[in-house]
Amino acid sequence: MSAKSLFEKVWDRHIVVPETDETPAILYIDLHLVHEVTSPQAFSLLRDAGLKVRRPDLTLSTMDHSTPTIPVGSLQELKVVSEPAAFQQIQQMERNCEDFGLELRGMDSDERGIVHVIGPELGATQPGKTIVCGDSHTSTHGALGALAFGIGTTEVAHVLATQCLLQRKPRTFAVNLEGTLAAGVTAKDIILAIIGEIGVDGGTGHAIEYRGSAVASLSIEERMTICNMAIEGGARTGMFAPDDATYEYLAGRPLAPQGADWDAALSRWQTLPGDDDARFDKEVSINVSALRPMVTFGTNPGMVIPVDDVIPSPAGSDPGFAKALDYMALEPGRPLAGTPVDVVFIGSCTNSRMSDLRAAARVMAGRQVADGVRMLVVPGSARVKREAEAEGLPEVFEAAGAQWREPGCSMCLAMNGDFVPAGKLAVSTSNRNFEGRQGKGARTVLASPLTAAASAVNGKISDPRPLIG
Amino acid sequence: MEPITEIRSRTAVLPLDDVDTDQIIPARFLRTTVREGLGENLFADWRYNSDGEKVANFVLNQPEAQGAQILVAGRNFGCGSSREHAPWALLDYGFRAVVSTEIADIFRNNSLKNGFLPVVVDSGIHGWLLENPGVELTLDVESRSLSLPDGRVTEFPLESFSRYCLLNGVDQLGFLLNHAGDISRFESRAGI
């Protein structure tokens, strides 16, 4: 039998009907994550066709994109703080879950949050599972050895109705991470450096598997940050083989297997790591020891440099490059560090977990957000919020002058009323610096929680390393 | 879905690489529960200024681009978010196909499920199309081919099942539902 990668093992175990020249494979989906923005039209399709949800027990529903991050105690308050369309979308989600018999982690649930934060923290995300969601950052769940990818709304309907998808097998891409991170350099810097290396389309048509000597030292939350942005390199998914850190992370979580089921699951999971001689269609190696904190300067995540470098000049005449710098109001050949900052956002499915909040708090402790800077800290889930409160993190942020909010996607994509005003520059721990992503005319610089917090304190884009001595 | 055999139209040219789905339809327009009506806000932040007036030099606002059903765009079109609102907005506006040298994976999947044709050509043909906006093209689904007005014909990749579904107006959900027996057998074998 030929050697297989992690991806190939998970793929092969989920084939209901194999692919042929004429038809794609029918792939079984173990976990379907559903949120309010990309599902309404899928539920309508089921309703029109008189179909039911095939496996409500394999469907995990929550609301995160359109939900306000200021506290709301009642439906009336929600209606007051939300735009009418957002309020209607939230109400529609509640109705859809009720009509189709789905348990909803809704506004009043202590398990609600960003869909890619709650899946792992509830233990629903497990090694070897196939996981999909109408959201491109579904790749996050690959951190635990799941094959997880984003789908469109028509496919959301396919999974709701059949628990399956029609899929052609992607090619495989090994990203080898070697070495050890230096102080002040984080998982976010690794993934930004990878995207800078391969480009925003380097992974198109491929499933990434992160391997190499650096992996063992990365926590599960760090792996989530790295998998989260696989899509920003064009790949449908990114995954890490499960190891002891994975099993330790999962043990005891509410939806993780218990007792004898745990033992059985564990022996299954231990067969998942790729064979040593597995082959990949594409391969790249990154020496993480040499990395510095990374920041974006343009309007896609591939336009990225170390924080202490100057903004590069375009190679030849590239209208896109010029348009991006014009939008960002930045000039080639000048340092990016030192650029004045208006807004700092700590949050999103990339960086809103406990380790991210702790990193930001470490920089903020005993310091103040610079005059004129607005800083928003948005925990990824209700559980993260409770844990942070138990550790006293909100007090650190609030004493520094930052705002501590309710969980959700918030300012990452500015659907819920949290946005960056036109022309203002935001340093964000989120995943996309596209034009207008954080609000029409908003200028976004992507960075790690350490770099974002250091930039808040200094009021300008800053290297965090001097502040964490 | 209506069957699609051929698309014949003039082109509109958007000569930028990495056009992401946040540009195609900004997130604030995703607060909808239906598919219709998104065309009005297709490329909203490039089409309209902050006062809501049309930006004169943006391609969709130019007289010669009116009525074009084929969009020619730069490399890596449709990157970013998985929002199916992107092809819905393009279709609702009146586009039926995009031609590029590379199209992002999720956008491509979403497009094919809505009868919006993603066409990848080599950089030679693409360069010519960028330099000659407004030419009339014929996209033939049956033969997977793009015909230029000067008689040149080039093939484009189109996975056979998607081609079959486009040509016959087949709903892929129906195909999956027909395999309900296989799905049940898989579930019992896997103990799910």
Side-chain angles (χ1 to χ4, degrees):
Chain A
M1 206 176 78
S2 66
K4 282 184 185 175
S5 66
L6 163 66
F7 163 79
E8 288 167 318
K9 289 185 185 182
V10 182
W11 176 272
D12 289 353
R13 289 178 194 187
H14 290 84
I15 292 183
V16 176
V17 178
E19 69 181 316
T20 66
D21 287 346
E22 286 76 36
T23 51
I26 297 180
L27 194 71
Y28 197 81
I29 302 303
D30 294 318
L31 175 64
H32 187 195
L33 307 162
V34 180
H35 66 80
E36 79 280 16
V37 176
T38 56
S39 66
Q41 297 87 349
F43 284 113
S44 297
L45 203 154
L46 262 63
R47 219 174 250 125
D48 292 348
L51 295 166
K52 292 190 293 193
V53 173
R54 183 181 174 94
R55 295 297 297 263
D57 57 324
L58 304 182
T59 310
L60 180 64
S61 308
T62 193
M63 300 196 282
D64 51 9
H65 285 63
S66 295
T67 52
T69 58
I70 46 179
V72 285
S74 65
L75 191 68
Q76 194 50 39
E77 277 181 45
L78 179 67
K79 192 169 184 176
V80 170
V81 304
S82 302
E83 287 199 24
F87 180 71
Q88 205 245 327
Q89 202 166 52
I90 291 167
Q91 283 202 306
Q92 185 66 47
M93 182 67 180
E94 287 172 348
R95 190 183 142 207
N96 287 338
C97 288
E98 200 177 304
D99 286 359
F100 287 91
L102 302 177
E103 184 189 349
L104 174 65
R105 266 102 179 155
M107 294 300 288
D108 54 355
S109 166
D110 60 6
E111 292 181 338
R112 86 176 172 101
I114 304 175
V115 68
H116 310 309
V117 176
I118 68 171
E121 76 180 11
L122 289 171
T125 301
Q126 293 165 19
K129 275 192 180 181
T130 44
I131 302 178
V132 297
C133 175
D135 191 289
S136 61
H137 294 112
T138 307
S139 53
T140 311
H141 307 266
L144 289 104
L147 168 55
F149 54 92
I151 57 176
T153 298
T154 300
E155 290 180 318
V156 169
H158 291 180
V159 180
L160 288 172
T162 71
Q163 206 58 33
C164 288
L165 279 177
L166 287 161
Q167 291 285 303
R168 289 285 178 191
K169 191 177 180 177
R171 294 185 291 278
T172 54
F173 187 173
V175 174
N176 301 311
L177 304 174
E178 307 296 346
T180 317
L181 283 173
V185 187
T186 69
K188 182 63 163 287
D189 303 304
I190 294 180
I191 185 60
L192 286 172
I194 292 170
I195 299 163
E197 172 79 20
I198 69 173
V200 289
D201 58 352
T204 302
H206 291 77
I208 289 178
E209 187 171 332
Y210 302 103
R211 297 148 54 93
S213 61
V215 168
S217 63
L218 294 169
S219 73
I220 298 304
E221 293 192 356
E222 290 177 307
R223 296 178 198 181
M224 287 188 216
T225 299
I226 293 170
C227 286
N228 174 273
M229 288 182 71
I231 183 71
E232 312 312 333
R236 288 292 291 281
T237 190
M239 47 203 309
F240 284 87
D243 60 12
D244 288 346
T246 316
Y247 313 137
E248 201 176 301
Y249 174 92
L250 277 173
R253 294 197 179 258
L255 300 179
Q258 317 285 338
D261 289 343
W262 171 268
D263 296 335
L266 188 62
S267 34
R268 232 173 27 247
W269 296 341
Q270 285 166 336
T271 65
L272 287 169
D275 301 325
D276 290 338
D277 48 350
R279 292 191 171 198
F280 293 85
D281 297 304
K282 196 169 173 178
E283 203 151 343
V284 69
S285 291
I286 305 272
N287 175 12
V288 305
S289 309
L291 295 181
R292 292 173 277 165
M294 302 293 286
V295 279
T296 60
F297 60 88
T299 54
N300 72 51
M303 301 177 83
V304 64
I305 52 173
V307 67
D308 46 0
D309 270 8
V310 296
I311 298 164
S313 303
S317 77
D318 179 347
F321 193 97
K323 185 177 190 293
L325 282 196
D326 184 54
Y327 181 86
M328 291 300 292
L330 295 170
E331 287 173 43
R334 305 274 290 265
L336 187 59
T339 307
V341 169
D342 303 298
V343 177
V344 169
F345 172 59
I346 308 272
S348 86
C349 54
T350 316
N351 284 120
S352 64
R353 299 176 183 83
M354 277 308 290
S355 55
D356 303 311
L357 302 184
R358 286 188 192 116
R362 183 175 163 208
V363 172
M364 305 305 293
R367 297 192 173 101
Q368 288 293 310
V369 175
D371 284 347
V373 176
R374 178 183 179 220
M375 182 175 183
L376 206 63
V377 185
V378 183
S381 69
R383 175 191 284 248
V384 170
K385 183 165 184 273
R386 283 194 302 279
E387 285 181 25
E389 285 166 351
E391 279 188 25
L393 300 186
E395 286 81 353
V396 173
F397 295 124
E398 286 174 343
Q403 297 173 36
W404 173 250
R405 291 296 187 92
E406 295 294 312
C409 302
S410 180
M411 208 182 258
C412 171
L413 82 170
M415 280 192 70
N416 73 331
D418 299 337
F419 68 98
V420 177
K424 301 292 185 191
L425 188 135
V427 178
S428 293
T429 64
S430 51
N431 40 58
R432 290 193 172 129
N433 52 339
F434 298 153
E435 280 186 34
R437 170 78 176 183
Q438 296 196 275
K440 181 166 175 155
R443 301 182 293 145
T444 298
V445 170
L446 301 178
S448 73
L450 287 177
T451 303
S455 302
V457 166
N458 292 333
K460 54 193 182 185
I461 297 173
S462 298
D463 188 334
R465 290 173 293 184
L467 297 188
I468 56 165
Chain B
M1 201 166 78
E2 292 295 309
I4 299 169
T5 51
E6 185 187 90
I7 298 169
R8 186 191 296 249
S9 166
R10 281 178 298 112
T11 63
V13 173
L14 181 61
L16 289 170
D17 292 344
D18 305 316
V19 172
D20 59 77
T21 54
D22 275 85
Q23 306 319 313
I24 299 172
I25 184 80
R28 61 186 183 278
F29 302 114
L30 309 190
R31 290 176 291 212
T32 175
T33 53
V34 297
R35 294 164 185 244
E36 296 76 22
L38 290 160
E40 194 182 324
N41 292 306
L42 175 71
F43 295 115
D45 290 348
W46 289 347
R47 235 166 112 194
Y48 309 109
N49 67 18
S50 47
D51 298 325
E53 292 156 356
K54 287 182 176 176
V55 175
N57 67 358
F58 183 64
V59 57
L60 296 195
N61 294 330
Q62 292 168 350
E64 55 273 26
Q66 303 312 306
Q69 295 181 355
I70 299 174
L71 181 68
V72 175
R75 182 177 50 83
N76 197 27
F77 185 81
C79 60
S81 139
S82 64
R83 62 191 69 169
E84 197 159 318
H85 309 66
W88 293 340
L90 286 157
L91 282 163
D92 193 57
Y93 177 86
F95 283 118
R96 301 176 67 200
V98 63
V99 181
S100 176
T101 50
E102 183 178 49
I103 292 172
D105 287 340
I106 307 179
F107 177 83
R108 182 184 176 83
N109 277 345
N110 287 340
S111 295
L112 287 166
K113 290 188 173 57
N114 288 278
F116 182 80
L117 192 63
V119 176
V120 171
V121 294
D122 66 36
S123 54
I125 298 278
H126 187 248
W128 188 88
L129 289 171
L130 291 180
E131 285 164 15
N132 294 278
V135 297
E136 181 153 304
L137 300 184
T138 303
L139 303 170
D140 188 287
V141 175
E142 174 79 43
S143 62
R144 303 173 166 106
S145 68
L146 177 154
S147 305
L148 298 175
D150 59 12
R152 276 183 291 169
V153 178
T154 184
E155 283 193 20
F156 58 83
L158 181 61
E159 189 267 321
S160 49
F161 184 70
S162 296
R163 173 172 159 274
Y164 171 81
C165 291
L166 290 172
L167 284 172
N168 297 286
V170 166
D171 173 12
Q172 301 193 7
L173 177 56
F175 180 87
L176 277 171
L177 287 166
N178 283 338
H179 283 276
D182 291 317
I183 299 168
S184 295
R185 278 188 289 280
F186 179 90
E187 285 172 328
S188 46
R189 198 167 65 236
I192 303 168

